[in-house]
Amino acid sequence: MEKKVIAFLRVSIPAYNDDIIKNNKLYMNAQTFFHSMELTDGQADEAEGMVSLMPLQLRWSTNEGKDWSKDSLEIQSLSYNPHAYVFCVYAIFSDSLVYDNENEVYTYIVPWSYIKDFWKPDTENEMLITPYVSVFSEKFDYAAEKSGFFHTRAFVQYDLDERLHDPKYIQMVNNDGLTVVFHKKRKHSKENEYRFSILNPNKPQHYELFLEGTKDIYYRIPLKENYSVQLAFQGLIFDENKELIQYSPQIGARFIKA
């Protein structure tokens, strides 16, 4: 990874997290699933898969590009669906930690402003967190490789506002369809999102990927409405260049009234 990630986390309901922990199952939604306005604010995104907001002249060919239509169709926006399925997590970076001298731990606050965007009313909500970032990522790579489908994982870049007015972005997507999975609008930047993605041309409604041997790498933290969560990471040691040289996957948590 190009950034040092200390932990991955998700805000969800216990039943969904049970599936991950007890069944080793990643439930991967189709990218187009996020177009639904019935989702929470943190999930819904009308711009998922959008490629351009520039007026475009569309011509077509019926013989694989040898000849093109004389007529054209003017379109005001362009989207692309590579039939990608995604699993999304919030990433905590080492350079965003704050050292607590009194308790000799590094802390990080997951704000209520983020949690509330995924909050489901009238039910229990909890945070699922794993400090075993490399283990989780490698297990995904192994399972995805076994599936036989093209797959990738990367940080989301929050530059789509600009990309939608850049003709070069259309070419980027044309060269690699999964590009659209990893670009979102700036308003989503507080999600600190890292995505695991699989391209499945069979186009199922969703895709289930089973990871092997991950049951013991998670912490579960029941959440309180209107409270931020301060995480405490123990046993971290950095060198003079702020590079992490020692890490103990012990995590504590306390609530802070928003």
Side-chain angles (χ1 to χ4, degrees), residues 161-218:
D161 302 83
E162 295 79 22
R163 294 285 190 182
L164 293 178
H165 300 277
D166 182 0
K168 294 180 180 178
Y169 185 58
I170 300 176
Q171 187 59 47
M172 286 175 59
V173 174
N174 187 54
N175 293 337
D176 180 1
L178 280 178
T179 296
V180 297
V181 175
F182 301 102
H183 293 270
K184 298 180 71 171
K185 288 190 171 182
R186 198 160 38 251
K187 67 179 181 179
H188 293 283
S189 61
K190 66 181 176 182
E191 296 169 9
N192 284 10
E193 194 171 350
Y194 190 88
R195 284 185 160 187
F196 299 81
S197 183
I198 282 183
L199 192 156
N200 187 338
N202 297 327
K203 309 176 189 178
Q205 187 174 8
H206 68 272
Y207 185 71
E208 297 178 359
L209 185 71
F210 291 88
L211 309 188
E212 297 180 7
T214 58
K215 293 183 178 180
D216 299 322
I217 68 171
Y218 306 104

Side-chain angles (χ1 to χ4, degrees), residues 2-227:
E2 62 273 22
K3 296 181 183 179
K4 185 61 182 178
V5 179
I6 294 297
F8 288 146
L9 66 85
R10 289 169 57 85
V11 172
S12 189
I13 62 174
Y16 294 165
N17 292 334
D18 282 344
D19 231 9
I20 297 174
I21 296 172
K22 298 178 180 179
N23 301 323
N24 292 329
K25 182 171 69 177
L26 295 191
Y27 186 102
M28 307 181 74
N29 285 304
Q31 189 182 14
T32 52
F33 166 81
F34 300 106
H35 291 163
S36 173
M37 293 298 104
E38 297 180 1
L39 300 173
T40 63
D41 290 344
Q43 293 176 302
D45 183 1
E46 76 286 351
E48 280 280 1
M50 190 170 286
V51 177
S52 175
L53 281 177
M54 300 176 292
L56 300 170
Q57 295 292 329
L58 180 65
R59 297 181 183 275
W60 53 91
S61 172
T62 58
N63 55 10
E64 299 182 348
K66 294 179 181 178
D67 300 293
W68 293 89
S69 63
K70 294 181 180 179
D71 297 326
S72 65
L73 177 67
E74 184 172 313
I75 57 176
Q76 299 301 315
S77 65
L78 180 67
S79 295
Y80 179 70
N81 178 14
H83 307 299
Y85 297 80
V86 296
F87 183 81
C88 313
V89 294
Y90 179 106
I92 299 176
F93 305 117
S94 58
D95 61 0
S96 61
L97 301 177
V98 176
Y99 188 66
D100 179 345
N101 286 289
E102 181 179 351
N103 298 298
E104 298 183 338
V105 295
Y106 284 89
T107 64
Y108 182 88
I109 295 177
V110 183
W112 169 248
S113 60
Y114 166 78
I115 295 172
K116 72 180 178 68
D117 282 352
F118 294 87
W119 190 266
K120 292 182 172 59
D122 305 318
T123 188
E124 293 181 63
N125 288 259
E126 68 177 13
M127 181 182 295
L128 183 69
I129 181 168
T130 178
Y132 297 93
V133 171
S134 295
V135 173
F136 185 89
S137 300
E138 290 167 4
K139 294 292 186 181
F140 168 82
D141 291 343
Y142 179 74
E145 192 70 30
K146 285 181 63 178
S147 76
F149 297 126
F150 181 79
H151 58 280
T152 190
R153 52 185 172 87
F155 295 102
V156 170
Q157 299 180 52
Y158 299 100
D159 59 358
L160 190 58
D161 302 83
E162 295 79 22
R163 294 285 190 182
L164 293 178
H165 300 277
D166 182 0
K168 294 180 180 178
Y169 185 58
I170 300 176
Q171 187 59 47
M172 286 175 59
V173 174
N174 187 54
N175 293 337
D176 180 1
L178 280 178
T179 296
V180 297
V181 175
F182 301 102
H183 293 270
K184 298 180 71 171
K185 288 190 171 182
R186 198 160 38 251
K187 67 179 181 179
H188 293 283
S189 61
K190 66 181 176 182
E191 296 169 9
N192 284 10
E193 194 171 350
Y194 190 88
R195 284 185 160 187
F196 299 81
S197 183
I198 282 183
L199 192 156
N200 187 338
N202 297 327
K203 309 176 189 178
Q205 187 174 8
H206 68 272
Y207 185 71
E208 297 178 359
L209 185 71
F210 291 88
L211 309 188
E212 297 180 7
T214 58
K215 293 183 178 180
D216 299 322
I217 68 171
Y218 306 104
Y219 291 85
R220 304 177 79 157
I221 303 172
L223 297 174
K224 297 181 180 180
E225 191 169 7
N226 295 314
Y227 281 83

